[in-house]
Amino acid sequence: MDGQHSEKSQSDTTADRTSSAMSQNPRAAQRQAGTRGNPEGDAPCPASHRISSPISRSMKDLSCMKVPQDPAHRDKQAHPTTILLCKSRSSQAALMPKEHKMFMEEAYNAAICFKMLRDLNGSDPLHLKYIIKKIKGMAYRAPNLVLETIHDYLVDNPEISSRHKFRLFHVLEAVIEASNSLEEAWQKSFMQLALENMTKSTELEEVYQDAASDVLLAICRHSWRVVAQHLETEVLTGVFPHRSLLYVMGILTSNEAIFNEGEKACWEEQLAQLAVKSVQFLNTDMWSKELLSALTKPDRTHQEQPPEKAFLFIYYGLILQAEDNSTTVRTHLRTLLDTSHQWPKQREGIALTIGLAAARHLDHVWAVLEQFGRSTPIKWSLHSFCLKNAEDLQWKWASSTILLSYGQMAVRAKAHILPWVDNILSRMVFYFHYSSWDETLKQSFLSAVLMLVGAVSRNEGAHSYEFSQVSELLDCLMVLMEKEPRDTLCTPTRQQTIHIISNLCPLPPNSKLRPPLDLEKKSQLLSTCLHSVLALPLLDVLEKHTCLFLEPPNIQTLYNKTSSALDQLLQSFIMQSPTTDELHLLLSHLYPWLASEKAQERQRAVDRSTALLRFLSHSHSLDPKEDFRRIGQLVGMLGILCQDPDRAIQQSSVEGLGHLYQLLISQTARAAPMVNAQAPKQLSPASVDGAPVWSSGDQKTAPPTPPEMTFPKDRIFQLDSSQVIKEVMKHLTKAELTDLIWTAIEGLGSASPFRVQAAADMLLTTIREHGAKLETLCSVCIPQAKEKALHAITLLAQNHTPELVATFLDFSVPLDSHAFCLWRALGAEQPVSRQVLAVLLAWLQERALPPGPRDSGPQPKDKPCPRSLAAMNMLHELQFAREFKKAVQEAFPQLLLALLAQLHYTLELHLPQEPHLPQEPLLPREPHLPWEPHLPQEPHLLQEPHLPQEPHLPQEPHLPQEPHLPREPYLPQEPRSAPEPQPGHEAPEAMPSPHSTSLEALKSLLSTTGHWQDFAHLELQGGWKLFSTIDTYPQGVSLLARAMVQNHCKQIKAVTSQLLPNLQSKEARERKVAILILTEFLYSPTLLEVLPRQAALIVLARSLRDPSPEVRVLSLQGLGNILFHPEKESLLRRQLPPFLDGFFQNNEQVVVQVMGTVSDVLHRLGTHSAAAQSLGVAINARSFFDDERDGIRAAAMALFGDLVAAMAGKELSSLRTQVHQSMVPLFLHLKDHCPGVVTQAKFTLYRCAVLLRWRLRHTLFCTLAWERGLSARHFLWTCLMTHSQEEFGIHLAQALSYLHSRHRHIKTWAALFIGYTICYHPQAVSQMVSSVDTNLLFSTFEDLKKDPEPSIRVFATRQLCFLQKVAARPQ
């Protein structure tokens, strides 16, 4: 102990201390000649030797180190007594005055240093800190003196405490680092000192050893080769190296500051040679066990890995890389992978070792990872089984290790990795989808992909490879971005993800992304990345989310890096395709954010736009051959933002316009020499007034700008916003000015006051500055001059709706994108949208009435009113605009009656009915999502995700099904219009007929307002064709009203209230529609809430005096309703048994008519349904499902469906049993050869599903109505088997019986049904089928192998193989 050891009398005199140190000082012999008369033994040194260069790294603060203090030293005096220097007079006399002064100064400093070294044994932290600071300062001035003093102190005090020596080591480290050079004698002495203490065991444990190791590292800064040689000798002894040796080698490997330029490569080469020499130890059990023990030893902190362990992973990987025996490599890697994966640094180390081994053994490393990935613990971790004990945690993040290993393989294998990229990507995507999702997996996935993408990007040969898995990788990245929290920014995940996407699209001609991205995928990437970054909250809000973090990130820095990554992404896209179309694509994704209501989103969007324009302006990346167009919208949006209340947005917008101006000038200048070289200059012909007339073939090109109008590039940034906008406008073409005007008009409809004011100012400036150009422009895009003024008035004043609607109707046929923008703007406010619909309905009723009697007789041909048909077209289109969604729902009763009357009107006109032509979607300025009923994605009800034994070899037979459920093809999309005419081309004149437009409007009304059940009733029955002729029209209206009653439509009361006034209309067609709907609504109990029974009698009685015979007949039928004659109920019920007997007549037509009569009786009974006879009707009807006569099969299915609809809401278990037993026959008759039977089978199957309350009925309807192929069949089978598990045996038996059918399609369908059942329920099927049934199945599938449809043949082949396996299983 230092407290027990006397420091002798060194503090009394310097002479005694110096004489004691002389015997051990390696420099004493060299300096003895110069100090012959000096008892201290120190020769005077020049001033240059006392001034040292600054040390390369700061000295560690010893006072802050948590070293245990010795209690024996706590009472020591904090400030020792002064040291007296005694010199002999003879010695002083022998020295010259100058030398004497230097000698005394050096001796004094040595004594002070000695005193401070002794005081390092104190316990006062403040005093220790002061001492260390003083010694550090002395070392800067005279490092050699301090080195000698430390050496002498250690030699003279060999028994000082470990704590004291620990502090001396840190001081010695700092002094050696502060020295410009280190003499060889000092190197040997202190190296020996470090090596002796590095492996010494003390109470300070590893802290003491690390301090001694740091001394050796300090020596490495002067002579690392000597130290490396000593280390190599120690490592190659055959005994596993001591921890401190690995510590030093770890610091040497990780710290480049130790080496001079070029020396780090030499150390790495020496390390590789050391690994080669160490290969022999892999076969030594003791050495290998100690290696594995050191690698798996828990760290002090799991956030940081000690240098010795980090080096050991590298060393291990290099040894495996040098090993020639592949079996040894595989064994060691698998042993390493079987260790714990609980801690992040451990996972990174394992991955690094695997990556280094892969540099030479890529095939074997891949095989080990594949084998490890299929092991049981990995499967458990992928399936997220509950962790029962702490030991299971070692496998929870094993997939993270695998991901990191793939990344390290890519980095280390370099050029050899290119053929493996797709395989690695496929495995990364697999683990991304199936691993337990958490922050650990996310970071590992990103790190691995970053390493892989970086390795590919650095490889010159990558451009010759086509990577097919890139699309799947991009999907994973988009999912990852979408899963990021919308209101926080705590990790660099967004930045890393965007960086990866950018690296996948590098600059040509070294593009690594093959095949290139398609437009849809690129649009998805842009939308996802922009939304993830631009939609973040304010930075202050983001910082509040990190206030509870132990180490909160710098939000400002993190956001800046993320934004820079987003800028890089945009630049990489434009550099990959330097065209104006690409620029327009990028800007179109920024436009919605430029118009955002949130200031921070606008600022971020305008910053991104400005950065992109700045990049293009400075880099001149755009192809000069490109016609720089479609920037009018950008000018308009940036011009509006120049008046934003936020000052930063103003400045960024003005800067963006300045860069756009420079880009326009530069692009024009670069394109001019090319144009001049291609064709000689020609003067444009002059117009009547002398102004030049530009050729229509060159409308997209701006006219040459007069020299006096072109500003120098640097001056554009000195102008204010209004002047900048004017200068940019001078270089816009007519088409671009059009876009600018429409952008301003859209801005007039904004809810932000500043946007309205800015848009008005810009519109006024445009008209004022370029009015001459706009005259021709308006005549092309806007039919009448009056319309130009109304466009601005529309959105500035909302109190002239009727006049504006009337004016807009005149130029809305055909409807173009600009006109539709006006209609959308009209409906921006809910009150106005309701008023617009009301005005359109009024115009719809302004129909040209044929002359003569209105109410009877044939209607002569007449020319329809243009505005009436235009109103019809607009009512159809506005149903898809989100601005009118709520108004359309509110006006459903009026729209329904009006559209039905309009259909009748178009039939009266006898206009030709062209097929409904497909129309191109509009490109509205403000992108929006129209209402579309989203079909729910079908969950895999009977199939759980499993980890296949091989990536592409499933164990079960492959079922020919598509990954997504069927979607409804009819559901409305964006408003449609014919493409706009190009210059020199006439617009196509083919337009859909008024009747087809009216019918489509009726369909879309039902689908867009949530009445899809009513739509389904007509679609599945083929009811829409009833509206094609005037004779079948009443049946169509009745069928629609009956569907509303049977589906308990919530709008029955509202429609009833609306149709009552229509019964008094002057129009016969409106009265006809009203009475048709009313007679069907009489079967709804809801009607009586609006129209009591007595009031209904009065209304019908009044209609008996209607001028129209049709209305009178319909009124009479309504008066015969059971609602007014309750006695009919028992009469009708008594008629049912005789009718049922009529089912067995021989005449097909009689049987069909009898079944139709029973259906009519069930309908007339209404809510007073014949529950007692329902079972008999069901049994009798179901018995004719397989009748050989087509008409009877169809009639029986229709009757069964009507019975199911009549019994809806009543709990009849016997009827439900009949319904369950009818599902398979109906299911199989979907492939009946008779179209009428197929139609009735679809509708009845749908009705049964409604009765049985199946889920996903909307998807079922879409599948029955439009989908074909195996995917639809598989979905229908899934629905049936999921909802009828108790009837499994019945369904299977029924399907087996249909294998004897004479109809090939039904037999095939039954085989597919059984095939699906075998795949998902092999055990149950094997227990239920007999050997006869099995043989029948074999023969059926053998026949299906010859089916003309390829998918059926493939399915049959696979089913045969699987059926053989099932048949071979023990019962």
Side-chain angles (χ1 to χ4, degrees):
M1 295 295 294
D2 199 23
Q4 299 171 352
H5 175 66
S6 173
E7 297 288 352
K8 301 179 183 179
S9 59
Q10 286 93 353
S11 60
D12 297 337
T13 62
T14 307
D16 294 335
R17 181 197 65 77
T18 308
S19 61
S20 175
M22 279 283 293
S23 61
Q24 302 295 332
N25 193 332
R27 296 184 60 193
Q30 301 175 13
R31 304 184 59 175
Q32 197 167 9
T35 59
R36 189 165 299 159
N38 182 3
E40 287 75 6
D42 286 336
C45 60
S48 62
H49 290 179
R50 300 196 303 268
I51 302 176
S52 174
S53 62
I55 60 175
S56 60
R57 64 173 182 156
S58 60
M59 177 181 171
K60 299 178 182 179
D61 190 354
L62 301 183
S63 63
C64 299
M65 293 185 180
K66 298 180 180 179
V67 180
Q69 297 294 328
D70 190 350
H73 293 275
R74 292 179 182 173
D75 299 328
K76 289 198 75 167
Q77 187 177 357
H79 300 281
T81 57
T82 306
I83 298 179
L84 299 178
L85 300 178
C86 299
K87 299 285 183 178
S88 63
R89 292 184 180 181
S90 60
S91 299
Q92 296 178 11
L95 296 173
M96 296 297 294
K98 183 176 181 181
E99 294 177 346
H100 175 72
K101 181 179 180 182
M102 293 176 60
F103 172 81
M104 291 301 295
E105 181 178 330
E106 186 175 280
Y108 178 79
N109 289 336
I112 291 298
C113 181
F114 192 89
K115 168 73 166 54
M116 289 188 292
L117 293 176
R118 187 185 65 187
D119 290 345
L120 285 175
N121 197 33
S123 59
D124 186 358
L126 294 178
H127 186 56
L128 286 174
K129 186 176 181 180
Y130 171 76
I131 292 174
I132 294 170
K133 182 178 179 182
K134 294 291 290 183
I135 297 176
K136 186 177 178 180
M138 185 179 291
Y140 274 112
R141 297 190 300 272
N144 288 330
L145 184 145
V146 179
L147 284 174
E148 290 185 33
T149 307
I150 294 174
H151 177 270
D152 294 344
Y153 189 88
L154 291 171
V155 170
D156 294 343
N157 301 276
E159 297 180 0
I160 59 176
S161 67
S162 299
R163 297 177 186 83
H164 194 180
K165 190 176 290 186
F166 164 76
R167 293 166 182 157
L168 287 173
F169 285 151
H170 279 293
V171 172
L172 179 58
E173 175 197 1
V175 174
I176 294 175
E177 289 182 350
S179 303
N180 288 331
S181 61
L182 192 64
E183 297 179 6
E184 184 178 355
W186 287 127
Q187 291 178 12
K188 293 181 179 180
S189 177
F190 288 125
M191 188 185 304
Q192 185 63 32
L193 175 68
L195 291 171
E196 290 175 356
N197 288 273
M198 282 166 53
T199 58
K200 186 177 180 181
S201 299
T202 66
E203 68 273 15
L204 299 183
E205 299 178 348
E206 295 181 358
V207 177
Y208 179 88
Q209 297 172 354
D210 290 348
S213 302
D214 290 338
V215 173
L216 195 62
L217 288 168
I219 298 173
C220 288
R221 296 178 181 273
H222 300 280
S223 181
W224 69 270
R225 296 181 186 274
V226 177
V227 176
Q229 189 62 41
H230 279 276
L231 294 174
E232 181 176 347
T233 302
E234 295 291 335
V235 170
L236 295 178
T237 58
V239 180
F240 189 76
H242 189 272
R243 187 199 67 84
S244 297
L245 297 174
L246 300 174
Y247 172 87
V248 174
M249 300 178 80
I251 298 296
L252 284 174
T253 304
S254 61
N255 190 356
E256 296 184 0
I258 295 178
F259 301 95
N260 295 326
E261 184 178 358
E263 292 182 343
K264 182 63 181 298
C266 297
W267 160 249
E268 292 175 350
E269 179 63 26
Q270 186 169 347
L271 187 60
Q273 295 298 325
L274 177 63
V276 174
K277 298 175 183 178
S278 303
V279 169
Q280 55 183 326
F281 303 135
L282 289 178
N283 297 322
T284 305
D285 292 340
M286 183 60 67
W287 197 91
S288 298
K289 289 179 180 179
E290 292 188 21
L291 171 64
L292 190 62
S293 175
L295 288 174
T296 57
K297 179 183 177 181
D299 301 330
R300 290 189 296 270
T301 61
H302 298 294
Q303 300 301 322
E304 296 183 2
Q305 196 173 49
E308 62 271 18
K309 193 170 182 179
F311 169 76
L312 203 53
F313 280 114
I314 298 175
Y315 182 47
Y316 193 16
L318 291 175
I319 294 176
L320 293 176
Q321 183 183 121
E323 172 62 64
D324 294 327
N325 191 329
S326 61
T327 303
T328 303
V329 174
R330 289 193 178 202
T331 302
H332 279 266
L333 288 180
R334 184 54 194 266
T335 304
L336 182 62
L337 285 170
D338 286 338
T339 60
S340 176
H341 301 263
Q342 183 174 357
W343 306 110
K345 291 298 180 182
Q346 188 75 8
R347 296 191 293 269
E348 294 173 8
I350 294 174
L352 178 58
T353 300
I354 293 174
L356 289 169
R360 190 173 174 217
H361 304 284
L362 187 57
D363 295 346
H364 304 297
V365 171
W366 174 266
V368 170
L369 287 176
E370 285 293 286
Q371 182 184 11
F372 182 64
R374 291 193 294 269
S375 61
T376 301
I378 302 301
K379 291 182 179 180
W380 285 351
S381 66
L382 293 180
H383 286 285
S384 304
F385 287 123
C386 180
L387 300 176
K388 299 179 181 179
N389 51 58
E391 295 181 359
D392 292 338
L393 287 175
Q394 69 172 333
W395 301 109
K396 181 177 180 181
W397 294 285
S399 57
S400 172
T401 305
I402 298 176
L403 285 171
L404 294 173
S405 299
Y406 286 130
Q408 289 288 354
M409 286 171 59
V411 173
R412 306 296 171 178
K414 298 181 180 178
H416 300 291
I417 203 64
L418 291 178
W420 294 82
V421 169
D422 271 338
N423 289 333
I424 292 177
L425 282 177
S426 67
R427 304 312 293 161
M428 287 182 172
V429 170
F430 171 79
Y431 285 108
F432 176 86
H433 285 301
Y434 291 100
S435 299
S436 301
W437 182 264
D438 57 10
E439 190 68 25
T440 299
L441 171 68
K442 178 171 63 177
Q443 289 302 324
S444 300
F445 176 77
L446 284 176
S447 300
V449 175
L450 278 170
M451 287 188 281
L452 177 62
V453 172
V456 174
S457 300
R458 290 188 297 269
N459 204 302
E460 294 298 329
H463 65 277
S464 61
Y465 284 85
E466 182 169 322
F467 304 125
S468 61
Q469 294 292 319
V470 170
S471 179
E472 286 73 11
L473 174 61
L474 292 175
D475 290 337
C476 294
L477 294 174
M478 285 192 289
V479 171
L480 193 147
M481 288 286 281
E482 291 169 355
K483 285 187 176 182
E484 279 296 289
R486 301 292 177 87
D487 56 348
T488 58
L489 181 65
C490 303
T491 65
T493 299
R494 289 180 173 88
Q495 172 196 346
Q496 293 172 346
T497 305
I498 298 174
H499 181 67
I500 292 172
I501 298 174
S502 301
N503 283 347
L504 289 174
C505 309
L507 307 183
N510 299 320
S511 179
K512 305 296 190 299
L513 185 59
R514 297 185 62 214
L517 290 177
D518 57 19
L519 184 61
E520 181 180 0
K521 179 71 70 175
K522 185 180 296 185
S523 181
Q524 292 176 355
L525 284 171
L526 285 171
S527 299
T528 303
C529 294
L530 288 173
H531 188 275
S532 182
V533 178
L534 302 186
L536 286 171
L538 291 168
L539 295 186
D540 293 340
V541 178
L542 293 175
E543 289 179 353
K544 291 180 181 178
H545 286 284
T546 63
C547 61
L548 298 180
F549 284 29
L550 294 177
E551 296 181 1
N554 189 322
I555 297 299
Q556 183 67 57
T557 302
L558 194 57
Y559 174 76
N560 291 341
K561 291 182 178 180
T562 306
S563 299
S564 299
L566 190 58
D567 289 337
Q568 182 184 357
L569 175 66
L570 298 176
Q571 294 169 14
S572 65
F573 277 135
I574 195 65
M575 291 302 292
Q576 189 185 31
S577 177
T579 63
T580 54
D581 289 336
E582 185 74 9
L583 177 61
H584 177 70
L585 173 67
L586 300 180
L587 293 174
S588 65
H589 284 80
L590 286 168
Y591 289 155
W593 300 99
L594 291 172
S596 173
E597 295 297 326
K598 298 180 180 180
Q600 74 269 18
E601 294 180 356
R602 294 198 303 274
Q603 180 178 353
R604 293 163 184 167
V606 75
D607 288 343
R608 303 288 72 76
S609 304
T610 300
L612 180 60
L613 293 172
R614 184 192 305 116
F615 171 77
L616 291 175
S617 175
H618 293 167
S619 64
H620 305 290
S621 305
L622 286 179
D623 189 349
K625 299 178 182 179
E626 287 285 324
D627 187 7
F628 199 67
R629 60 188 186 276
R630 296 197 294 183
I631 61 168
Q633 187 177 1
L634 175 63
V635 176
M637 303 200 78
L638 291 179
I640 290 175
L641 292 177
C642 287
Q643 298 187 31
D644 196 283
D646 190 294
R647 182 67 178 170
I649 298 178
Q650 293 181 22
Q651 295 175 350
S652 185
S653 301
V654 175
E655 181 188 355
L657 286 171
H659 290 300
L660 179 59
Y661 175 84
Q662 290 183 336
L663 189 59
L664 286 168
I665 296 297
S666 174
Q667 199 73 5
T668 304
R670 294 171 64 196
M674 300 179 62
V675 174
N676 294 336
Q678 293 174 2
K681 296 182 180 179
Q682 294 182 356
L683 296 178
S684 301
S687 62
V688 178
D689 57 359
V693 178
W694 305 108
S695 170
S696 61
D698 196 30
Q699 281 194 358
K700 303 267 183 181
T701 305
T705 306
E708 65 274 12
M709 296 180 63
T710 304
F711 266 78
K713 291 184 179 181
D714 53 351
R715 285 194 56 194
I716 193 68
F717 297 103
Q718 302 174 8
L719 304 177
D720 59 26
S721 60
S722 60
Q723 292 176 313
V724 173
I725 294 174
K726 291 179 182 179
E727 293 302 322
V728 174
M729 283 184 183
K730 295 176 183 178
H731 299 274
L732 299 182
T733 63
K734 295 178 181 181
E736 291 161 355
L737 286 173
T738 304
D739 291 338
L740 174 60
I741 289 176
W742 285 106
T743 304
I745 291 177
E746 285 185 350
L748 293 175
S750 173
S752 302
F754 89 88
R755 296 185 70 86
V756 176
Q757 184 61 43
D761 294 343
M762 182 176 297
L763 189 61
L764 180 61
T765 300
T766 307
I767 296 175
R768 182 183 300 164
E769 297 290 329
H770 303 279
K773 290 183 182 180
L774 295 180
E775 288 183 2
T776 306
L777 181 66
C778 293
S779 66
V780 175
C781 294
I782 306 176
Q784 300 177 3
K786 178 182 178 181
E787 298 168 19
K788 180 182 65 174
L790 288 177
H791 289 163
I793 297 174
T794 302
L795 301 172
L796 288 172
Q798 297 293 335
N799 53 354
H800 299 288
T801 305
E803 298 88 343
L804 296 175
V805 170
T807 305
F808 294 161
L809 284 175
D810 292 339
F811 59 84
S812 294
V813 178
L815 183 68
D816 59 24
S817 59
H818 296 309
F820 189 72
C821 286
L822 285 178
W823 289 101
R824 286 182 52 201
L826 277 177
E829 298 179 2
Q830 285 299 322
V832 179
S833 64
R834 299 188 189 99
Q835 191 175 0
V836 170
L837 291 182
V839 175
L840 287 174
L841 285 172
W843 275 111
L844 183 65
Q845 296 174 357
E846 293 294 326
R847 309 180 183 100
L849 297 178
R854 303 280 195 265
D855 303 319
S856 60
Q859 301 288 352
K861 297 181 180 180
D862 193 14
K863 184 178 180 180
C865 174
R867 283 188 178 175
S868 176
L869 297 181
M872 178 72 260
N873 184 59
M874 283 314 306
L875 286 172
H876 177 210
E877 300 292 350
L878 292 182
Q879 293 174 18
F880 309 126
R882 69 168 184 266
E883 293 83 357
F884 287 87
K885 180 179 179 180
K886 186 175 181 180
V888 169
Q889 290 177 340
E890 293 175 353
F892 176 80
Q894 298 94 319
L895 289 170
L896 177 65
L897 297 176
L899 293 177
L900 289 173
Q902 181 71 9
L903 272 171
H904 196 283
Y905 171 67
T906 57
L907 291 173
E908 294 174 5
L909 295 174
H910 299 291
L911 294 177
Q913 300 178 16
E914 298 85 6
H916 192 81
L917 297 179
Q919 298 171 319
E920 295 185 5
L922 293 173
L923 296 175
R925 293 282 180 236
E926 179 181 335
H928 68 278
L929 297 175
W931 179 89
E932 179 181 0
H934 292 284
L935 300 182
Q937 295 299 315
E938 171 71 3
H940 297 283
L941 299 174
L942 303 176
Q943 179 180 1
E944 296 181 0
H946 62 280
L947 179 64
Q949 297 300 317
E950 295 294 337
H952 303 292
L953 294 176
Q955 294 179 345
E956 300 293 340
H958 178 69
L959 297 179
Q961 67 180 79
E962 298 176 3
H964 297 292
L965 288 182
R967 297 189 64 86
E968 180 177 350
Y970 166 73
L971 294 180
Q973 303 296 322
E974 279 286 347
R976 303 173 295 276
S977 69
E980 295 183 15
Q982 298 296 326
H985 299 278
E986 295 296 332
E989 297 183 358
M991 292 293 297
S993 68
H995 177 77
S996 62
T997 302
S998 303
L999 184 58
E1000 289 300 315
L1002 178 61
K1003 292 181 180 180
S1004 60
L1005 176 67
L1006 296 175
S1007 61
T1008 58
T1009 54
H1011 296 80
W1012 68 267
Q1013 297 94 334
D1014 307 329
F1015 179 89
H1017 271 239
L1018 272 76
E1019 183 69 27
L1020 293 176
Q1021 296 181 81
W1024 300 117
K1025 63 184 179 182
L1026 297 175
F1027 292 97
S1028 59
T1029 64
I1030 198 72
D1031 296 328
T1032 58
Y1033 172 85
Q1035 300 176 36
V1037 176
S1038 298
L1039 192 62
L1040 176 57
R1042 186 175 302 179
M1044 296 175 67
V1045 172
Q1046 293 178 352
N1047 291 318
H1048 307 288
C1049 177
K1050 297 180 179 180
Q1051 293 281 359
I1052 288 180
K1053 291 194 292 184
V1055 173
T1056 303
S1057 300
Q1058 186 66 33
L1059 66 81
L1060 290 177
N1062 284 15
L1063 290 172
Q1064 308 298 324
S1065 173
K1066 297 180 180 179
E1067 298 287 343
R1069 65 180 69 89
E1070 293 183 358
R1071 301 196 304 273
K1072 181 179 178 180
V1073 169
I1075 197 64
L1076 282 169
I1077 296 176
L1078 180 60
T1079 54
E1080 288 295 333
F1081 278 9
L1082 291 174
Y1083 295 101
S1084 172
T1086 310
L1087 176 74
L1088 299 179
E1089 300 178 17
V1090 181
L1091 190 65
R1093 179 174 176 273
Q1094 191 61 34
L1097 276 172
I1098 296 174
V1099 169
L1100 292 172
R1102 186 186 302 121
S1103 297
L1104 289 174
R1105 299 188 294 272
D1106 193 276
S1108 171
E1110 293 178 285
V1111 175
R1112 294 196 298 270
V1113 171
L1114 292 169
S1115 302
L1116 188 60
Q1117 292 176 356
L1119 288 172
N1121 192 283
I1122 196 173
L1123 174 66
F1124 309 114
H1125 307 280
E1127 67 278 2
K1128 283 187 176 183
E1129 178 183 346
S1130 59
L1131 177 62
L1132 292 173
R1133 288 181 178 178
R1134 287 196 300 269
Q1135 296 299 322
L1136 283 176
F1139 286 146
L1140 295 181
D1141 295 337
F1143 287 4
F1144 300 96
Q1145 296 289 329
N1146 294 327
N1147 190 308
E1148 177 181 358
Q1149 185 176 2
V1150 172
V1151 176
V1152 171
Q1153 291 179 352
V1154 170
M1155 289 183 177
T1157 303
V1158 174
S1159 294
D1160 187 60
V1161 169
L1162 293 175
H1163 170 62
R1164 291 180 182 277
L1165 284 172
T1167 56
H1168 310 279
S1169 57
Q1173 292 91 350
S1174 60
L1175 181 60
V1177 175
I1179 294 174
N1180 282 276
R1182 201 168 63 80
S1183 65
F1184 289 93
F1185 281 5
D1186 296 317
D1187 195 276
E1188 291 298 326
R1189 295 163 291 183
D1190 298 343
I1192 293 180
R1193 288 201 308 277
M1197 293 177 185
L1199 173 58
F1200 193 84
D1202 291 336
L1203 176 65
V1204 168
M1207 295 296 109
K1210 298 178 176 58
E1211 293 297 333
L1212 298 175
S1213 58
S1214 58
L1215 179 62
R1216 294 178 68 88
T1217 301
Q1218 292 297 317
V1219 171
H1220 279 296
Q1221 294 178 2
S1222 69
M1223 297 304 284
V1224 170
L1226 292 173
F1227 187 63
L1228 298 179
H1229 278 288
L1230 293 177
K1231 294 301 177 182
D1232 198 286
H1233 68 275
C1234 176
V1237 176
V1238 173
T1239 299
Q1240 294 302 329
K1242 286 182 178 181
F1243 187 45
T1244 304
L1245 183 63
Y1246 171 76
R1247 284 177 148 184
C1248 292
V1250 174
L1251 177 70
L1252 297 176
R1253 299 178 182 177
W1254 283 12
R1255 295 183 296 109
L1256 303 177
R1257 288 193 292 273
H1258 185 273
T1259 308
L1260 174 65
F1261 153 61
C1262 296
T1263 305
L1264 292 172
W1266 300 294
E1267 290 296 326
R1268 301 293 183 269
L1270 292 179
S1271 62
R1273 301 178 192 180
H1274 180 263
F1275 171 72
L1276 294 174
W1277 176 89
T1278 302
C1279 291
L1280 177 61
M1281 301 305 290
T1282 303
H1283 298 91
S1284 305
Q1285 295 181 0
E1286 297 178 357
E1287 289 76 20
F1288 178 84
I1290 297 175
H1291 292 338
L1292 182 59
Q1294 288 178 321
L1296 287 170
S1297 67
Y1298 276 94
L1299 293 179
H1300 301 281
S1301 175
R1302 293 185 302 165
H1303 302 287
R1304 185 178 65 86
H1305 291 293
I1306 294 180
K1307 182 178 180 181
T1308 302
W1309 196 191
L1312 291 177
F1313 182 94
I1314 298 172
Y1316 287 133
T1317 308
I1318 293 174
C1319 284
Y1320 289 101
H1321 305 281
Q1323 190 66 29
V1325 173
S1326 63
Q1327 294 176 358
M1328 296 183 64
V1329 298
S1330 63
S1331 59
V1332 176
D1333 295 332
T1334 303
N1335 294 332
L1336 179 60
L1337 286 173
F1338 275 117
S1339 101
T1340 303
F1341 284 126
E1342 284 291 346
D1343 294 340
L1344 289 181
K1345 289 172 64 176
K1346 305 173 185 177
D1347 193 273
E1349 186 176 345
S1351 60
I1352 299 294
R1353 295 198 300 269
V1354 173
F1355 182 76
T1357 303
R1358 293 178 176 174
Q1359 282 299 319
L1360 273 174
C1361 298
F1362 190 60
L1363 186 59
Q1364 291 172 356
K1365 296 179 181 179
V1366 173
R1369 294 179 180 177
Q1371 295 295 326

